[in-house]
Every structure is written in C-alpha cells, then in structure tokens.
Amino acid sequence: MTAKISSSPLDQQHATTLSNEHWGSSQGATDAVIVDVDGTLAELDTETVAPWVLGAVKHWDPFFQHMAKAPVIEPVVRLVNLLKAQGQRILICSGRPASHAAHTRDWLVANAIPFDALYLRPAGDDEVADEEVKAKLLECMREDGHRPWLVIDDRDAVVAGWRRLGLTCLQCADGDF
C-alpha cells in the first residue's frame, strides 16, 4: 500500500512517499527526474555501512547516525539544481525505509537539495533487493502522475534495473556493491 504524505506525522507502516511543500507545488508539471540519495547525493563509504545495510538484516539506526553527517556530492547536487530550475520535478527514490523518512527529509532540507516527492522502501521490505523496491516505487510515481524520463543513481544492479524498465539512467559513481 502506498500513501501520499505531507508534512504531518508519518504512518510508519504504510508511508512510501512524502511531498515536500517547502519547495513549492509541482501542479501542472509532468516530467520528472528520479534521484537516489546514498552514493548519489550523499557521500557513501560502503565499507563502513556494509554491516548495517548491505546484508539481509538491516540495522537502520547506526546507518542514519552515520549518514546524518554525510557530505553532499557537489556535481550531482549542481545537476539536480539545474534540472529543478528548468522546471523538472525532482523525485527522491531511495532504498532507505519509509519508517525513517524524517531522517532523509531533514538531510535533504539541511543541504538545500530541492525535491518534490520522496519515495522510500515500504515497511517490511528490508529483505527485498533495492532494484525490486525501486521498480515498485516507479509504479507509485507513475500512479501519482509523474512521468520520469531520467534517473541518477550509483549502484550497478539498480542502474541496470532502471535501464531494464526503459529509463535512461546516469550512473554517477562506481556501484559494485
């Protein structure tokens, strides 16, 4: 189940999208760019986070404590700002869990990264591969009226998944993990 959520408290069982009223309305626009967070917008040290999130069992609390201080990847943030200034909807799509949406939103806002909606891993899907999670989230984006035409992501398997779904995906970093 997918729920569209505004700035009100999050329903941790069903939240997978979060509108960002701070960046204004996206009414009328249909074109959208999908952007990943970890390793794409935020620097990611895979060796450090691997024990927390790259196995079957996820340990989200230490991951979010670590990533709260992650620096931005400047060239990607510049590109996102250019796309937003051009009138594109920016859809953040991450394998991060919806139960921790506030952490993600706070990091994006603190780093002045524009976004129109936040699509996150549904509750109970920790064992599902990121590329499968993001394929389901793409369906939600389309149901919400977005027409993604471009994706910016880093992980090899996810990039291949976006391309299998017919989207152009710019791979911004090595993603063999």
Side-chain angles (χ1 to χ4, degrees), residues 126-137:
D126 278 358
E127 73 288 347
V128 179
D130 284 353
E131 58 272 23
E132 293 175 40
V133 167
K134 290 184 177 186
K136 290 178 190 174
L137 293 174

Side-chain angles (χ1 to χ4, degrees), residues 12 22 30 39 42 53-54 62 80 83 88 97 104 106 113 117 140 156:
Q12 295 186 2
H22 174 76
T30 56
V53 295
L54 295 181
V80 168
L83 290 164
Q88 300 298 310
T104 304
D106 290 349
I113 298 170
C140 297
D156 292 349

Side-chain angles (χ1 to χ4, degrees), residues 102-122:
H103 291 285
T104 304
R105 181 167 192 239
D106 290 349
W107 185 88
L108 292 164
V109 171
N111 287 287
I113 298 170
F115 66 99
D116 297 290
L118 182 59
Y119 290 84
L120 300 171
R121 177 185 300 273

Side-chain angles (χ1 to χ4, degrees), residues 36 40 134 151-155 158-159 162 169-172:
D36 176 48
T40 301
K134 290 184 177 186
V151 181
I152 307 169
D153 214 315
D154 67 313
R155 194 169 185 183
V158 176
V159 169
W162 289 123
C169 184
L170 305 179
Q171 186 169 11
C172 61

Side-chain angles (χ1 to χ4, degrees), residues 5-162:
I5 300 170
S6 64
S7 298
S8 62
L10 300 175
D11 173 347
Q12 295 186 2
Q13 293 300 312
H14 303 291
T16 57
T17 65
L18 176 68
S19 294
N20 185 3
E21 296 170 355
H22 174 76
W23 296 106
S25 173
S26 58
Q27 296 293 331
T30 56
D31 285 342
V33 177
I34 299 169
V35 184
D36 176 48
V37 177
D38 302 307
T40 301
L41 289 169
E43 287 188 17
L44 179 69
D45 177 357
T46 55
E47 289 182 28
T48 299
V49 303
W52 304 322
V53 295
L54 295 181
V57 176
K58 310 293 187 212
H59 304 282
W60 294 114
D61 290 334
F63 171 78
F64 281 107
Q65 287 174 351
H66 176 78
M67 293 305 293
K69 300 174 288 243
V72 299
I73 299 173
E74 289 295 335
V76 178
V77 173
R78 280 184 71 186
L79 178 58
V80 168
N81 281 309
L82 289 169
L83 290 164
K84 183 63 181 166
Q86 184 191 38
Q88 300 298 310
R89 290 183 191 173
I90 303 300
L91 310 178
I92 302 298
C93 183
S94 175
R96 291 176 170 204
S99 60
H100 288 66
H103 291 285
T104 304
R105 181 167 192 239
D106 290 349
W107 185 88
L108 292 164
V109 171
N111 287 287
I113 298 170
F115 66 99
D116 297 290
L118 182 59
Y119 290 84
L120 300 171
R121 177 185 300 273
D125 276 2
D126 278 358
E127 73 288 347
V128 179
D130 284 353
E131 58 272 23
E132 293 175 40
V133 167
K134 290 184 177 186
K136 290 178 190 174
L137 293 174
L138 176 61
E139 292 174 21
C140 297
M141 292 174 209
R142 289 179 170 156
E143 289 170 6
D144 288 344
H146 302 293
R147 189 175 61 211
W149 64 276
L150 180 68
V151 181
I152 307 169
D153 214 315
D154 67 313
R155 194 169 185 183
D156 292 349
V158 176
V159 169
W162 289 123

